[in-house]
Amino acid sequence: MNFEQNENQGMIAQMVRDFAEKEIKPNMKNWDDHEIFPEETMKKLGELGLLGIFIPEEYGGSGFGYAEYATALMELGKVCGGIGLSVAAHNSLCTGHIFYHGSEAQKKKYLPKLASGEWIGAWGLTEANTGSDAMRMKTTAVKDGDHWVLNGTKNWITHGLSGDVAVVLIRTGDLLDSKGITAFIVEKGTPGFSAVKIKEKLGVRASETAELIFDNVRIPEENVIGDVGAGFKQAMQILDGGRISIASLSCGVARGAYEASVKYAKEREQFGKPIAHFQAIAFKLADMATEVEAAELLTFQAAYLKDNKRPVTKAGAYAKYYASEVSVKCGNEAVQVMGGYGYTKEYPAEKFLRDAKLMTIGEGTSEIQKIVISREILK
């Protein structure tokens, strides 16, 4: 495995750094304080090709692989976890689901708009009472002629309010039947389809989260993705790739916290010298640096397997579990290194810590990753 960044990765990393310096850093405190989802900024990211990174050029995408995708998310995570999360959810979940499992007609209709940023995508699996236990979902779809009628709710959905199109997993069969769930494409403005914003989140506050509501929503047969009953299997495959994106974002948040800690430790003086010269602080930085490197290696290994069409279930779980836990640890240590200043919004440490916590929850909690890993190694 080649550990050197390829030319595309270097180009993308610099492009994201330049964009973040100009478009994200000056605004992210306002977005975070007031829970503002910056749609126009997302659309600009689409213009840069970052909302269809791994989508082939024939569908309007950038045609890159997961290595480049991971690189972009790492760079975004170093600045703002909320923007990074929105880019990850748009690419891996909604856009990715249509690309990997949609019909040719569905790809041609939706991917160019999603990849360009003209449309923002949402993806819905979770419900209020069914997170990890997805097969107990209560939202249903009933066949009515050449349409399906959807009723119920989905919760914790990224871009649920602003999304122009959502891919949703709905029960079409019996409860607990893994072949009783189907994926549907639902466009914004469809009668009976609405959303309510979820407020007062701990972190990633620049990324919109909402509850989706389906009240006798009629969806044409042509908006079914793949076979009826294949939705759960599709979702598990999408989450395999999605976990690489969350691992990537986690690495970015962790590295951002680490780099901020190094900068502060070199500048802050106590007892006549920079605190970086004290072993207690220096060892914290050494631990953070080592663990961030390890998390990135696990993540790029999973991206390599994904790009080479090899199984990624175990590798993705390794990366997501470890990187997300490292991001929380680095955020926590950054606050500790900065002391009282780290506990204020004047310094970046507290935001890294708040944003990091979501990484251990979204797209499968750390506990679920342990289940996935243990099942894989005990096969």
Side-chain angles (χ1 to χ4, degrees), residues 1 244 295-306 312 315 318:
M1 183 177 178
I244 301 173
E296 289 178 353
L297 286 171
L298 280 173
T299 301
F300 280 120
Q301 172 185 254
Y304 170 82
L305 294 173
K306 177 73 172 174
V312 296
Y318 279 156

Side-chain angles (χ1 to χ4, degrees), residues 179-194:
K179 295 183 179 180
I181 295 171
T182 302
F184 295 87
I185 298 173
V186 184
E187 294 185 22
K188 188 176 185 176
T190 302
F193 180 43
S194 61

Side-chain angles (χ1 to χ4, degrees), residues 12 42 45-65 68-69 87 90-92 95-96 99 111-119:
I12 288 172
M42 276 289 286
L45 287 165
E47 292 170 5
L48 292 178
L50 295 176
L51 297 188
I53 297 180
F54 55 81
I55 302 301
E57 293 180 15
E58 65 180 294
Y59 300 117
S62 298
F64 293 126
E68 290 84 1
Y69 179 33
V87 171
H90 175 95
N91 275 286
S92 296
T95 307
F99 172 58
L111 292 182
K113 293 181 179 180
L114 289 165
S116 67
E118 179 185 347
W119 279 15

Side-chain angles (χ1 to χ4, degrees), residues 149-221:
V149 181
L150 281 53
N151 281 286
T153 61
K154 292 289 176 182
N155 213 11
W156 309 113
I157 309 305
T158 303
H159 307 148
L161 197 64
S162 298
D164 298 280
V165 63
V167 173
V168 292
L169 287 302
I170 308 289
R171 184 158 62 84
T172 51
D174 294 332
L175 199 68
L176 299 179
D177 180 6
S178 64
K179 295 183 179 180
I181 295 171
T182 302
F184 295 87
I185 298 173
V186 184
E187 294 185 22
K188 188 176 185 176
T190 302
F193 180 43
S194 61
V196 178
K197 185 175 181 177
I198 295 173
K199 300 179 181 180
E200 302 298 328
K201 294 184 300 182
L202 173 68
V204 293
R205 289 160 63 93
S207 181
E208 179 188 272
T209 310
E211 178 185 39
L212 300 182
I213 301 168
F214 304 90
D215 182 9
N216 289 316
V217 177
R218 293 181 63 84
I219 299 299
E221 182 73 32

Side-chain angles (χ1 to χ4, degrees), residues 299-337:
T299 301
F300 280 120
Q301 172 185 254
Y304 170 82
L305 294 173
K306 177 73 172 174
D307 282 338
N308 286 276
K309 297 180 172 54
R310 291 166 63 181
V312 296
T313 298
K314 183 171 65 173
Y318 279 156
K320 199 273 185 186
Y321 168 52
Y322 186 75
S324 64
E325 293 291 337
V326 165
S327 70
V328 173
K329 181 177 179 180
C330 285
N332 189 56
E333 291 288 50
V335 172
Q336 197 70 18
V337 168

Side-chain angles (χ1 to χ4, degrees), residues 18-316:
D18 292 342
F19 181 86
E21 196 66 34
K22 180 182 177 182
E23 301 284 350
I24 299 177
K25 284 185 179 180
N27 300 301
M28 65 183 189
K29 187 179 186 303
N30 182 50
W31 298 338
D32 183 70
D33 287 345
H34 301 288
E35 295 187 275
I36 297 169
F37 172 55
E39 287 188 55
E40 289 307 310
T41 302
M42 276 289 286
K43 291 183 182 298
K44 289 179 181 178
L45 287 165
E47 292 170 5
L48 292 178
L50 295 176
L51 297 188
I53 297 180
F54 55 81
I55 302 301
E57 293 180 15
E58 65 180 294
Y59 300 117
S62 298
F64 293 126
Y66 256 66
E68 290 84 1
Y69 179 33
T71 299
L73 290 175
M74 287 178 185
E75 291 296 333
L76 287 169
K78 284 164 60 175
V79 181
C80 180
I83 299 301
L85 180 65
S86 278
V87 171
H90 175 95
N91 275 286
S92 296
L93 302 181
C94 178
T95 307
H97 199 136
I98 294 172
F99 172 58
Y100 289 118
H101 300 288
S103 66
E104 190 62 24
Q106 289 168 343
K107 292 177 185 179
K108 289 180 177 178
K109 180 177 180 180
Y110 294 106
L111 292 182
K113 293 181 179 180
L114 289 165
S116 67
E118 179 185 347
W119 279 15
I120 293 170
W123 191 80
L125 175 65
T126 304
E127 297 182 2
N129 295 310
T130 57
S132 302
D133 190 10
M135 286 196 293
R136 292 183 189 272
M137 66 174 61
K138 295 180 179 179
T139 303
T140 59
V142 177
K143 190 73 182 297
D144 182 22
D146 58 358
H147 281 69
W148 291 82
V149 181
L150 281 53
N151 281 286
T153 61
K154 292 289 176 182
N155 213 11
W156 309 113
I157 309 305
T158 303
H159 307 148
L161 197 64
S162 298
D164 298 280
V165 63
V167 173
V168 292
L169 287 302
I170 308 289
R171 184 158 62 84
T172 51
D174 294 332
L175 199 68
L176 299 179
D177 180 6
S178 64
K179 295 183 179 180
I181 295 171
T182 302
F184 295 87
I185 298 173
V186 184
E187 294 185 22
K188 188 176 185 176
T190 302
F193 180 43
S194 61
V196 178
K197 185 175 181 177
I198 295 173
K199 300 179 181 180
E200 302 298 328
K201 294 184 300 182
L202 173 68
V204 293
R205 289 160 63 93
S207 181
E208 179 188 272
T209 310
E211 178 185 39
L212 300 182
I213 301 168
F214 304 90
D215 182 9
N216 289 316
V217 177
R218 293 181 63 84
I219 299 299
E221 182 73 32
E222 66 197 45
N223 281 30
V224 173
I225 300 180
D227 295 331
V228 172
F232 185 78
K233 183 178 180 181
Q234 293 173 9
M236 294 304 102
Q237 291 172 353
I238 292 301
L239 287 173
D240 277 348
R243 285 165 183 159
I244 301 173
S245 72
I246 298 300
S248 305
L249 183 56
S250 298
C251 289
V253 174
R255 185 166 287 281
Y258 158 70
E259 290 180 354
S261 299
V262 170
K263 182 176 185 294
Y264 182 88
K266 286 180 177 180
E267 296 172 351
R268 171 71 164 170
E269 290 190 0
Q270 291 287 273
F271 306 102
K273 57 185 176 181
I275 62 172
H277 292 183
F278 294 104
Q279 191 179 77
I281 301 300
F283 278 15
K284 285 183 183 295
L285 300 177
D287 284 341
M288 293 165 75
T290 303
E291 291 174 358
V292 172
E293 289 285 334
E296 289 178 353
L297 286 171
L298 280 173
T299 301
F300 280 120
Q301 172 185 254
Y304 170 82
L305 294 173
K306 177 73 172 174
D307 282 338
N308 286 276
K309 297 180 172 54
R310 291 166 63 181
V312 296
T313 298
K314 183 171 65 173

